[in-house]
């Protein structure tokens, strides 16, 4: 179990997780990117990026997601564990690459995407042809399963006093690559509170260890 979190000095401030927060620069170890196999669809355009927004999702049962949005909007750094304030637990670190973002214009399109992510498998179109992923959540079930749903609070200032709330319906899929490791696909349906904004993000991710991040 990793314990590298730094507590914020004021309760109104956003927590620092592994030293990461708004205004900090993060560098991903170059070896972890160079070792991506040829059949991976993940693209990491830059290894060093500055964090300009920070999100938090309370998943319940003492589980939290902390998301860090770089100035390069093709990436997302996500750390799962405790609340980052009183609970310093870190369970998982993921680096996500945005593969595609869609903006359904009709309710029918929205419902069709939601229906597709409930299935046992998901086919992702790529330059290599259709790539099949298997459901990682509810993987023991052969039946359609409802997506996970949660709110994310996103702030763009260190004090955490301003921001927006996004309701998310998500499903996680995976496929094994040639190096024997899994490439993850997160399909995230997002609805911004108080607006008509909604979008679907298709993100590809790999797990990172703490020593692969440099602040």
């Amino acid at each position: 179990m990793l314990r590298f979190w730094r507590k914020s000095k004021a309760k109104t401030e956003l927590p620092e997780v592994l030293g990461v927060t708004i205004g900090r620069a993060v560098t991903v170890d170059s070896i972890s990117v160079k070792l991506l196999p040829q059949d991976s669809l993940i693209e990491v355009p830059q290894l060093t990026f500055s964090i300009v927004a920070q999100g938090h999702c309370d998943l319940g049962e003492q589980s939290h997601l902390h998301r860090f949005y770089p100035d390069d909007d093709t990436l997302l750094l996500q750390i799962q564990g405790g609340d980052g304030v009183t609970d310093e637990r870190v369970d998982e670190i993921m680096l996500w690459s945005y593969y595609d973002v869609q903006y359904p214009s009709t309710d029918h399109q929205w419902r069709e995407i939601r229906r597709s992510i409930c299935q046992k498998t998901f086919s992702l179109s790529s330059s290599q042809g259709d790539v099949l992923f298997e459901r990682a959540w509810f993987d023991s079930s052969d039946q359609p399963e409802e997506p996970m749903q949660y709110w994310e609070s996103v702030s763009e200032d260190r004090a955490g006093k301003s921001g927006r709330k996004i309701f998310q319906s998500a499903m996680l899929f995976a496929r094994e690559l040639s190096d024997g490791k899994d490439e993850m696909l997160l399909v995230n349906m997002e609805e911004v509170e108080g607006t008509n904004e909604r979008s679907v993000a298709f993100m590809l991710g790999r797990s990172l260890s703490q020593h692969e991040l440099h602040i």
Side-chain angles (χ1 to χ4, degrees):
M1 184 179 295
L2 301 175
R3 294 185 178 275
F4 294 94
W5 295 27
R6 295 172 58 187
K7 299 179 182 178
S8 59
K9 295 181 181 180
K11 291 183 179 179
T12 57
E13 289 188 354
L14 298 174
E16 298 177 19
V17 186
L18 298 180
V20 186
T21 190
I22 292 175
R24 299 279 172 81
V26 178
T27 300
V28 177
D29 190 276
S30 61
I31 299 299
S32 61
V33 176
K34 291 178 180 179
L35 291 180
L36 286 172
Q38 289 188 347
D39 54 343
S40 173
L41 298 176
I42 296 175
E43 294 185 4
V44 183
Q46 59 183 27
L47 297 176
T48 299
F49 42 83
S50 297
I51 303 301
V52 297
Q54 183 169 334
H56 171 254
C57 308
D58 186 344
L59 303 179
E61 299 181 354
Q62 298 182 337
S63 182
H64 297 257
L65 287 181
H66 299 272
R67 288 173 168 165
F68 302 93
Y69 296 88
D71 49 359
D72 179 348
D73 60 6
T74 63
L75 297 175
L76 168 65
L77 178 64
Q78 177 177 290
I79 301 175
Q80 183 170 349
D83 61 12
V85 180
T86 60
D87 185 349
E88 301 178 350
R89 187 181 77 256
V90 172
D91 297 327
E92 183 181 66
I93 305 170
M94 294 286 297
L95 181 65
W96 295 100
S97 168
Y98 280 86
Y99 184 78
D100 188 21
V101 179
Q102 299 179 8
Y103 301 90
S105 58
T106 67
D107 290 339
H108 174 73
Q109 291 174 329
W110 185 261
R111 289 193 299 268
E112 282 300 298
I113 294 174
R114 194 180 192 283
R115 182 197 62 79
S116 70
I117 68 174
C118 294
Q119 307 308 310
K120 179 70 175 178
T121 61
F122 187 90
S123 182
L124 186 69
S125 298
S126 76
S127 59
Q128 305 172 14
D130 290 343
V131 179
L132 190 66
F133 288 79
E134 296 186 354
R135 197 168 58 205
W137 290 339
F138 313 107
D139 59 326
S140 61
S141 170
D142 291 326
Q143 302 301 314
E145 297 288 348
E146 290 296 303
M148 298 284 289
Q149 295 184 317
Y150 43 82
W151 285 95
E152 180 182 13
S153 299
V154 180
S155 299
E156 297 182 358
D157 66 277
R158 183 70 180 90
K161 295 180 180 179
S162 64
R164 56 182 182 166
K165 294 187 68 177
I166 305 171
F167 184 69
Q168 304 182 21
S169 301
M171 186 63 77
L172 184 68
F173 300 87
R175 69 178 180 122
E176 185 176 342
L177 298 181
S178 56
D179 63 354
K181 297 182 180 181
D182 284 340
E183 180 169 80
M184 312 304 295
L185 168 66
L186 181 67
V187 184
N188 221 38
M189 306 182 70
E190 305 178 1
E191 302 171 82
V192 180
E193 184 182 43
T195 74
N196 293 321
E197 294 180 43
R198 59 185 184 184
S199 60
V200 184
F202 299 82
M203 294 180 281
L204 296 165
R206 293 263 284 195
S207 296
L208 294 178
S209 60
Q210 191 272 336
H211 74 267
E212 292 176 299
L213 288 181
H214 306 282
I215 313 305

